Structures are given as structure tokens and as C-alpha cells.
């Protein structure tokens, strides 16, 4: 598992840079262009990554997962270097951020499925569940540390420092991957027989279990992200608990995810984490719903803590079922399809929740307005 842990560290570094960049860019674009432009930016980046993952899997098939990751990190570094030059030249900040963000989203469409497939490829036989636990751990830890680092770096040095910080994470992640053995990356010409886009989609849509797990992932991403990023924020603001408490709530969820990811990464039991994991993700969403409805601060934190535990169990179990029996030829394509179909639920959920919340606020405020007039 040594290579898995090293690669998990590299993936975590990449997540740190992504999270720091996302926090800073959303903040700066909203500051310059308002929430409308910021929302459009999020939607476009999410759409670029999700929609291009499946076609990009063909490119990954030709390059191999190892080369695809190295090329993606190298290009990301060069893009950020160009953005740094643009900032120094005084180009409009919104345009530098938006254009750089879209290109990085395109590179993410290559990096994410190739890194997930590579992690599975280097996992020792019989250790798929533990490898998926390392992936969950690197995602959660990278997201938490990246958001914190993004706030500090943005406050200390503004956009220039954020660009440099993200570029350094790309470079560091690439250096670690370069040091890893190119075991599966050079497997002969699996690329020649890489599935087409239609075949890739068919691997999921014609397989009842995979189709059900992907649909469930889409629904849970849609509901979970809508609740976490929109509804919970609104509820915290409505109760006057403050931004500090919301940060504590997010940190509670993240810490539970990190700890549980560490536990699962040490799991030495059966390859699937037990039948209880089947409903883990659904239980996590129900806990988040309870957190949004809870009337006390401690109850909200306890429910989010439980949500983090159940989320990791459900994700690892689903990943084990989805990817446990796939052949080398189809591995990258399957990862791309699963990630694309599942993650597209995130921006959709955020948009729907925002619109619903906006309408509910209008309906709630209308009687109050009429009472004020009378």
C-alpha cells in the first residue's frame, strides 16, 4: 500500500490547490462582477468538467493514466504561469480568472478519471476498499486544508499569491507522480482498444447495478450539495448563528469524513465494507436534512458528524461495486462515465436549490411587505 499512500498524498496536494483556487476565484469574481457572474462561472466550469470527462477518457486511453496525469499537471502549471503574467500585465481580473478557470476545468476532465483509475491500478490485490478509503481521505483532507489555505493566502497576497500557490501544488503533485513507478501506465496499447464514448456510456447504462449506483450518486450529489451549499447556509443565516458557526459545521463534516477515510484505508476485512454501506449515502443526506431542520447548534453538529461517517461508508462501498470487476481496457472509461454522470448533479442541485430558496423568500416576504404597507 506504500505507492497508494504516496499517490494519495499527491492527489491530496492537487485537491488543496483546487480548493484554494475555487474559494479565491468565487470570492474575487463575486466581488468584481456580482453573484450572477459568479454563479455562471461555477455552472460553466462544472459543465466543462462533467461533459468532457467521457470524451477525454479516449485521450487518457491513448496516453495511459500515468502520462495523462503528468501532462495535465504540467499544463495546469503553465496555464497558471500565464495567468500570473496576465495579472502582472494588468489584464482585467475577471477575465483572467474566468478564462483560467475554464481551462483548468478542462484539464480536470482529464486528471480526475485518470487519477482514480491509476489509484485502482496500483492498489495491491485484495485492497481495493482500502485504496478507495485513501481516495476519500485525500479528497476530504485536501478540500479542508485547501479552503483554509485559500483564505489565508488570499488575505495575505491577493490574486497573485493565489495563482502562485496553486501553481506550486500542481508542480509538487507532478513531482510525486513522476517518482512513482510507471507500472500500469505503460501497459501495451490498451489504448488501441479503448472504448468509444457510446461504448463507455453503455458500460453503465446497460448494466443494471452500475446504472442504479450512478443514478443514486447523481441524486445524492444533487440533494446533498444543494442542502449543504445553499439550504444550510440560508438556515444558519436565518437563525443568526454567524459565518463562524457555518465554518465550524463544514469543518465537523470534513473531520468526520477524514477520520472515517483513514479508518477505511486501514480496513482489512472483506472487499466490500458490509451491507450497511449500501445505504450509507442515503443516510448521510437524511442526516444533512436533519441538520438543516435542527433547532439547536449541538444537534446540527452531531448530525453533520454522523453524515460524514455514513458518506464515506456509502461512497467506498459503491466504488468497490462499481470498479471491482472491470477490465484494464475499460477502467479509465468507466471511471470517466461514473464521475461525469454523478457529479453533474452538483451544479444542478445548487441551481435548483438557489432558485427554490429565492422563490420561497419572495413568497415569505410578500405578506410582510403588504402588512407594512397597510
Amino acid at each position: 500500500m506504500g505507492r497508494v499512500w504516496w499517490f494519495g498524498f499527491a492527489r491530496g496536494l492537487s485537491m488543496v490547490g483546487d480548493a484554494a483556487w475555487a474559494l479565491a476565484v468565487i470570492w474575487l469574481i463575486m466581488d468584481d462582477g456580482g453573484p450572477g457572474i459568479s454563479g455562471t462561472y461555477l455552472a460553466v466550469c462544472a459543465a466543462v468538467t462533467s461533459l468532457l470527462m467521457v470524451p477525454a477518457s479516449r485521450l487518457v486511453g491513448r496516453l495511459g493514466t500515468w502520462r495523462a496525469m503528468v501532462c495535465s499537471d504540467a499544463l495546469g502549471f503553465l496555464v497558471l504561469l500565464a495567468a500570473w503574467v496576465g495579472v502582472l500585465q494588468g489584464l482585467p481580473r475577471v477575465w483572467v480568472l474566468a478564462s483560467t478557470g475554464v481551462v483548468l476545468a478542462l484539464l480536470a476532465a482529464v486528471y480526475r478519471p485518470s487519477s482514480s483509475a491509476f489509484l485502482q491500478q496500483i492498489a495491491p490485490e485484495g485492497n481495493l476498499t482500502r485504496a478507495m478509503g485513501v481516495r476519500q481521505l485525500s479528497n476530504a483532507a485536501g478540500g479542508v486544508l485547501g479552503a483554509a489555505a485559500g483564505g489565508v493566502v488570499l488575505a495575505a497576497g491577493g490574486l497573485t499569491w493565489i495563482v502562485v500557490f496553486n501553481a506550486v501544488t500542481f508542480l509538487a503533485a507532478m513531482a510525486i507522480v513522476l517518482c512513482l513507478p510507471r507500472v500500469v501506465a505503460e501497459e501495451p496499447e490498451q489504448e488501441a482498444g479503448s472504448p468509444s464514448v457510446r461504448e463507455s456510456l453503455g458500460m453503465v447504462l446497460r448494466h443494471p447495478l452500475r446504472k442504479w449506483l450512478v443514478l443514486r450518486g447523481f441524486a445524492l450529489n444533487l440533494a446533498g450539495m444543494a442542502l449543504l451549499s445553499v439550504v444550510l447556509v440560508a438556515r444558519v443565516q436565518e437563525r443568526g448563528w454567524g459565518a463562524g458557526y457555518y465554518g465550524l459545521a463544514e469543518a465537523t463534516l470534513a473531520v468526520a469524513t477524514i477520520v472515517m477515510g483513514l479508518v477505511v484505508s486501514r480496513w482489512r476485512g472483506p472487499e466490500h465494507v458490509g451491507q450497511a454501506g449500501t445505504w450509507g449515502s442515503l443516510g448521510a443526506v437524511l442526516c444533512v436534512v436533519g441538520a438543516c431542520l435542527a433547532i439547536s447548534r449541538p444537534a446540527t453538529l452531531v448530525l453533520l458528524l454522523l453524515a460524514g461517517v455514513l458518506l464515506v461508508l456509502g461512497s467506498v462501498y459503491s466504488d468497490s461495486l462499481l470498479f471491482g470487476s472491470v477490465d484494464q481496457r475499460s477502467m479509465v472509461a468507466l471511471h470517466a462515465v461514473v464521475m461525469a454522470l454523478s457529479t453533474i448533479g452538483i451544479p444542478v442541485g445548487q441551481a435548483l436549490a438557489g432558485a427554490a430558496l429565492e422563490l420561497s423568500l419572495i413568497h415569505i416576504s410578500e405578506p410582510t411587505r403588504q402588512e407594512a404597507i397597510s
Side-chain angles (χ1 to χ4, degrees):
M1 286 287 290
R3 288 179 300 176
V4 172
W5 279 104
W6 272 110
F7 181 66
F9 180 62
R11 187 182 169 91
L13 278 176
S14 181
M15 292 298 298
V16 166
D18 289 348
W21 174 260
L23 181 144
V25 168
I26 292 170
W27 181 278
L28 293 171
I29 288 183
M30 188 171 292
D31 188 44
D32 285 353
I37 293 180
S38 179
T40 302
Y41 167 82
L42 288 174
V44 169
C45 289
V48 166
T49 300
S50 296
L51 296 176
L52 292 182
M53 270 189 196
V54 178
S57 68
R58 297 279 291 171
L59 175 63
V60 176
R62 293 181 181 280
L63 293 175
T65 52
W66 187 88
R67 291 190 189 91
M69 289 185 298
V70 171
C71 291
S72 176
D73 283 336
L75 289 173
F77 174 77
L78 293 176
V79 167
L80 287 164
L81 190 62
W84 178 67
V85 173
V87 171
L88 294 181
Q89 293 296 319
L91 296 179
R93 192 167 68 175
V94 170
W95 291 107
V96 171
L97 291 169
S99 58
T100 304
V102 170
V103 176
L104 292 179
L106 192 154
L107 293 175
V110 174
Y111 181 84
R112 290 181 186 176
S114 57
S115 63
S116 293
F118 184 77
L119 184 62
Q120 181 179 347
Q121 290 169 336
I122 62 174
E125 187 176 354
N127 284 276
L128 178 58
T129 296
R130 297 176 65 193
M132 292 302 165
V134 171
R135 186 177 79 165
Q136 291 291 329
L137 178 62
S138 64
N139 288 348
V144 174
L145 295 175
V152 172
V153 173
L154 182 63
L159 177 58
T160 305
W161 282 28
I162 280 289
V163 171
V164 171
F165 177 81
N166 199 15
V168 169
T169 63
F170 269 100
L171 206 57
M174 182 177 67
I176 294 174
V177 174
L178 284 170
C179 293
L180 290 173
R182 295 161 61 175
V183 181
V184 221
E186 296 192 350
E187 287 194 352
E189 318 300 318
Q190 72 184 58
E191 341 8 274
S194 295
S196 66
V197 172
R198 179 178 295 181
E199 290 172 333
S200 301
L201 291 170
M203 284 190 296
V204 171
L205 300 180
R206 294 175 191 155
H207 191 289
L209 178 60
R210 288 175 183 164
K211 181 166 63 175
W212 158 243
L213 291 172
V214 167
L215 287 173
R216 190 181 70 177
F218 170 83
L220 294 174
N221 271 328
L222 186 148
M225 291 306 298
L227 289 168
L228 277 174
S229 62
V230 180
V231 178
L232 186 59
V233 175
R235 296 291 285 177
V236 169
Q237 290 178 344
E238 177 188 338
R239 292 164 184 159
W241 291 350
Y245 178 80
Y246 178 71
L248 178 62
E250 287 279 8
T252 300
L253 179 66
V255 167
T257 306
I258 291 170
V259 171
M260 198 60 200
L262 187 59
V263 169
V264 175
S265 69
R266 299 288 185 180
W267 181 268
R268 294 184 182 277
E271 203 43 38
H272 304 314
V273 192
Q275 293 299 323
T278 311
W279 303 104
S281 298
L282 179 59
V285 172
L286 292 176
C287 287
V288 175
V289 171
C292 292
L293 299 176
I295 58 175
S296 71
R297 300 184 189 190
T300 300
L301 294 180
V302 169
L303 286 166
L304 288 175
L305 193 69
L306 184 58
V309 172
L310 293 172
L311 181 64
V312 173
L313 280 178
S315 298
V316 171
Y317 180 78
S318 298
D319 288 347
S320 298
L321 284 179
L322 277 167
F323 305 123
S325 58
V326 62
D327 57 77
Q328 293 290 334
R329 171 182 176 269
S330 307
M331 187 178 293
V332 175
L334 181 59
H335 276 272
V337 172
V338 168
M339 295 177 80
L341 295 180
S342 299
T343 58
I344 196 66
I346 295 175
V348 173
Q350 290 172 332
L352 291 176
L357 193 61
E358 186 73 22
L359 289 173
S360 68
L361 289 175
I362 291 172
H363 291 154
I364 290 171
S365 62
E366 196 61 38
T368 306
R369 194 178 305 161
Q370 292 176 357
E371 288 174 10
I373 293 173
S374 62

